[in-house]
Amino acid sequence: MDTFHLGPKDWAAIRLTLRLAGITTVLLLVLCTPLAWWLAHTRSRWRGPVGAVVALPLVLPPTVIGFYLLVAMGPNGFLGHLTDALGLHRLPFTFAGLVIGSLVYSLPFAVQPLQRAFEALGPRPLEVAATLGAARLDRFFTVALPLARPGFITAAILTFAHTVGEFGVVLMLGGNIPGVTRVVSVQIYDHVEAMEYTHAHWLAGGMVAFSFLVLMLLQWLQPRKTR
């Protein structure tokens, strides 16, 4: 990509987007691993409702998610009351607020690949490890996690790519603050609003190329998982 067509604000938006996607991906992989394990193995009657809640961001408009998160983080919301009680700044229109919104919006893209990977293991490997004297946590960390590695790779790729492409949620929660909440998708919107189509083309083209590479990577990983 020719840097001549990208200004300082464009590069700032790119750096902020990559930072947001990276933090969101790491946090979701850590937080969603026990949840995915529970969904893959539980027989609780709550499995269906919890799975439905996890999948909600797949069908809800991003603006709806952003709106309710904005209400929750506002002065009258439960998160707003919590941050006030802790003496913290309000989360709307901050980078921390964007991270929370991204965690919610990209949740199913982390949970579902991990859940499928854990379900595909079956009980046999863990039973064999148990007969060799491995404790429950040992079986999880030394057997389940290594065997589920393809699921973690898929979850990481999908979560990162999905977060990079966010627009509705980040715009509702973060607005358009340069260097703080203005990510690539919002920067493209600004260029279009200002009729700066050349700049918009370069950023949008980069997003298309990035999305294509992500899909190609997932296609390349699929036969490796099968083997």
Side-chain angles (χ1 to χ4, degrees), residues 121-134 139 143:
L121 295 179
R124 183 62 178 168
L126 298 178
E127 291 173 353
V128 172
T131 61
L132 296 175
R139 297 197 299 268
V143 178

Side-chain angles (χ1 to χ4, degrees), residues 20-21 24-25 28 31-32 52-69 73 96-113 155 158-173 183 185 207:
L20 177 64
T24 299
T25 300
L28 278 180
L31 296 174
C32 292
V53 171
V54 167
L56 267 180
L58 294 174
V59 296
L60 282 178
T63 49
V64 172
I65 299 174
F67 169 71
Y68 281 112
L69 286 174
M73 296 177 187
L98 288 191
V99 171
I100 293 177
S102 299
L103 292 176
V104 174
Y105 187 49
S106 296
L107 181 66
F109 293 87
V111 173
Q112 293 183 353
L158 287 177
T159 301
F160 190 91
H162 190 251
T163 305
V164 167
E166 289 181 12
F167 177 71
V169 171
V170 297
L171 190 61
M172 291 288 288
L173 278 179
V183 295
S185 57
M207 294 284 283

Side-chain angles (χ1 to χ4, degrees), residues 73-123:
M73 296 177 187
N76 297 318
F78 70 95
L79 286 177
H81 287 306
L82 179 61
T83 54
D84 287 342
L86 295 175
L88 303 175
H89 294 293
R90 296 255 171 83
L91 292 171
F93 311 111
T94 65
F95 181 78
L98 288 191
V99 171
I100 293 177
S102 299
L103 292 176
V104 174
Y105 187 49
S106 296
L107 181 66
F109 293 87
V111 173
Q112 293 183 353
L114 294 179
Q115 180 183 344
R116 288 194 293 268
F118 287 142
E119 289 172 344
L121 295 179

Side-chain angles (χ1 to χ4, degrees), residues 26 38 41 63 76-77 82 87 89 148-149 156 176 178 189 197 213-214 222:
V26 172
W38 182 82
H41 294 92
T63 49
N76 297 318
L82 179 61
H89 294 293
R149 184 174 62 178
N176 190 0
Y189 179 79
Y197 292 125
L213 290 175
V214 167
Q222 192 63 40

